[in-house]
Amino acid sequence: MTETAGPTLPTAQIVVRKRGADRIRRGHLWIYRSDVLNPKEAEPGSVVAVRNERGAVLGKAFFSSQSQISLRFLSRGDVAIDEAFFHDRFAAADVLRQRLGVDPLLSRRIYTEGDLLPGLIVDRYRDRLVVQSLIQATDRLQPLVTRILMERYQPRSILFRNDSRVRELEGLELKQEVVGEPVPETLVANEDEKEIEISLTSGQKTGSYLDQRDNHRAARRYARGRALDAFSYAGGFAVQIADRCEHVEAVDISAEAVSLARSNAGRNGLTNVECIEANAFDFLRERHKEGRRYDTIILDPPAFAKNKESLEGALRGYKEINNRAMRLLRPGGILITCSCSHHVSEGIFAEMLADAAKDAGCWARVLERRTQAADHPILLTVPETLYLKCFILEIRY
Ligand code: SAH
């Protein structure tokens, strides 16, 4: 199998319907299978040249033989997709992060479409890199990606966490692979002055929620009194806010997450963080029944809407936890509420919150409308690259 489809290799010529071509012109990067006229002509995971029905070149794209998303564009126009092309994309991603001032040692270095490298995620935890290859083409490019990463960051190891379920849509197996030294089970990362232990091989995502780092920091500015961090995972929010609060309850349904959060609280000498294994829905209901009140509540649930079909049910779930949190807050209390479903747009999220506030009989003042950390860049014309919403609300009665 070839690593790159450079200019010297035959490149399949794929023809797309007008609807697909229009999408690309408007700045999206994807073309769906139903808009591809001759999919049989391309190899799985290859780089192809894409033309409209009149023969004009639209650009070069990664091809998938399995996914509903057949084409993910790399370039507009007839650009050579060779090693130099990929080197340039990695270099540009680094330049962007320098400009954004993100921590060079602990950050997402490549964020798929947001960095115009569809299907690829690279997170850096100091001298360890964790990579997710999500599509056929990035699997095929793994040797080249490995070379570029070794050269650019000289990591002790690269862990390919190719165990994300989305790979199944591409017909790819789920597995982990290590290049270089063995990967330690856990490592400790600094988040501002705090230490967070993360698990690279078995933790969620690539080990931690880098996308929430800026929001952890923002939460710290507002948190006070009695606080609840619901859906806490390793305690990213709880650990950041604890020394501003009297008491913090960190709640997660996963026993592993709870023990990680507990050890993170201990590691930072925090004695006022109580880590509780519970279903947050039940927990909120119980606390309400008990007449408990809070000054700060954080809600950071997993993506309830995995697809468009589950949107309605997801919104009911979001509304339920937000409504309960609003009713649990004292007047002037702070609600930091997140959604990481990209199917829930910022507008829909805001409407849901308004609806929850209506039912709770309170006003919600918007202190901040936030999103994912800057090292997860958003392409304006690819709405799927914006997935995380984080509103900081002040609840008034
Ligand atoms: N707040 C974390 C990330 C949370 S990810 C951070 O900033 O790092 C979402 C978490 O919700 C996961 O740890 C998952 O185990 C947990 N979870 C999922 N369903 C839950 C439920 N019904 N009740 C409580 N926790 C749940």
Side-chain angles (χ1 to χ4, degrees):
M1 221 189 258
T2 52
E3 280 174 23
T4 59
T8 52
L9 295 166
T11 306
Q13 305 283 323
I14 293 298
V15 182
V16 298
R17 283 182 221 285
K18 183 166 183 307
R19 191 174 54 176
D22 286 347
R23 244 175 113 73
I24 299 309
R25 206 174 17 251
R26 285 197 301 269
H28 209 289
L29 296 178
W30 298 349
I31 292 185
Y32 291 101
R33 199 196 315 206
S34 53
D35 288 328
V36 177
L37 293 174
N38 58 340
K40 293 269 176 316
E41 286 172 36
E43 271 183 59
S46 60
V47 173
V48 297
V50 187
R51 296 175 183 273
N52 67 16
E53 286 174 280
R54 279 177 282 137
V57 175
L58 298 174
K60 296 273 179 73
F62 283 150
F63 173 77
S64 169
S65 61
Q66 294 264 324
S67 167
Q68 287 300 324
I69 305 167
S70 287
L71 298 168
R72 293 171 195 256
F73 273 64
L74 290 161
S75 71
R76 285 168 155 166
D78 198 5
V79 179
I81 309 298
D82 49 15
E83 288 214 18
F85 174 90
F86 289 106
H87 274 281
D88 287 352
R89 283 281 150 98
F90 278 81
D94 274 350
V95 169
L96 172 66
R97 281 153 183 79
Q98 224 170 354
R99 196 175 275 165
L100 293 168
V102 303
D103 182 348
L105 295 177
L106 185 67
S107 47
R108 176 152 294 189
R109 308 312 298 178
I110 300 291
Y111 171 55
T112 66
E113 276 78 358
D115 281 299
L116 299 171
L117 280 170
L120 190 68
I121 288 173
V122 179
D123 286 346
R124 185 177 192 190
Y125 298 97
R126 285 200 303 274
D127 49 10
R128 314 283 176 179
L129 296 178
V130 184
V131 177
Q132 286 188 311
S133 160
L134 304 173
I135 60 174
Q136 293 172 351
T138 45
D139 263 25
R140 207 167 150 166
L141 286 171
Q142 188 164 320
L144 173 61
V145 167
T146 303
R147 272 205 309 283
I148 294 176
L149 292 176
M150 281 294 181
E151 203 175 290
R152 203 157 258 290
Y153 305 112
Q154 286 103 40
R156 283 167 67 184
S157 42
I158 304 176
L159 169 65
F160 284 88
R161 271 205 66 173
N162 293 342
D163 50 6
S164 164
R165 297 295 296 269
V166 298
R167 286 170 58 89
E168 289 172 353
L169 302 173
E170 296 269 333
L172 298 170
E173 72 177 299
L174 307 189
K175 59 179 179 190
Q176 293 196 8
E177 262 176 81
V178 179
V179 176
E181 292 175 30
V183 179
E185 178 47 33
T186 61
L187 61 80
V188 176
N190 279 340
E191 196 170 304
D192 296 333
E193 267 81 69
K194 302 293 188 302
E195 289 185 347
I196 300 278
E197 181 185 351
I198 54 186
S199 162
L200 297 186
T201 52
S202 63
Q204 298 176 16
K205 296 238 219 185
T206 64
S208 80
Y209 286 85
L210 292 173
D211 53 358
Q212 283 287 28
R213 297 187 88 210
D214 294 355
N215 297 330
H216 295 161
R217 199 169 290 152
R220 185 176 166 78
R221 290 200 291 273
Y222 299 97
R224 61 189 152 72
R226 296 195 69 83
L228 167 63
D229 175 6
F231 307 91
S232 54
Y233 185 48
F237 279 105
V239 166
Q240 277 305 331
I241 65 170
D243 53 16
R244 299 286 168 101
C245 298
E246 241 168 77
H247 185 258
V248 184
E249 288 168 320
V251 175
D252 201 286
I253 203 166
S254 138
E256 275 156 62
V258 172
S259 85
L260 212 48
R262 199 169 280 140
S263 105
N264 282 329
R267 171 183 304 281
N268 291 283
L270 300 166
T271 50
N272 62 341
V273 180
E274 193 184 334
C275 301
I276 304 158
E277 183 183 333
N279 181 333
F281 284 83
D282 300 337
F283 187 87
L284 289 164
R285 203 175 303 125
E286 287 300 312
R287 287 296 192 243
H288 191 252
K289 245 193 255 158
E290 292 164 11
R292 202 68 85 87
R293 287 287 176 274
Y294 295 87
D295 302 290
T296 307
I297 297 182
I298 293 153
L299 298 176
D300 184 19
F304 290 155
K306 298 277 186 214
N307 48 45
K308 273 192 207 135
E309 292 67 48
S310 57
L311 184 60
E312 212 176 297
L315 286 172
R316 269 197 303 277
Y318 284 119
K319 184 176 163 188
E320 176 174 342
I321 54 174
N322 279 283
N323 171 268
R324 289 209 183 274
M326 287 167 181
R327 290 193 289 164
L328 280 167
L329 283 164
R330 295 200 179 95
I334 295 291
L335 175 60
I336 296 159
T337 178
C338 311
S339 160
C340 56
S341 307
H342 78 72
H343 298 284
V344 178
S345 67
E346 201 198 45
I348 294 177
F349 189 59
E351 269 172 41
M352 176 281 297
L353 289 170
D355 212 21
K358 182 195 79 185
D359 289 2
C362 65
W363 288 289
R365 179 150 46 210
V366 181
L367 305 186
E368 295 192 30
R369 298 170 90 120
R370 308 180 53 84
T371 182
Q372 63 226 38
D375 52 6
H376 296 56
I378 295 161
L379 268 192
L380 188 59
T381 47
V382 182
E384 293 82 356
T385 56
L386 194 179
Y387 64 96
L388 184 61
K389 284 78 53 191
C390 172
F391 278 41
I392 302 183
L393 304 176
E394 185 196 34
I395 301 305
R396 312 291 311 197
Y397 286 94

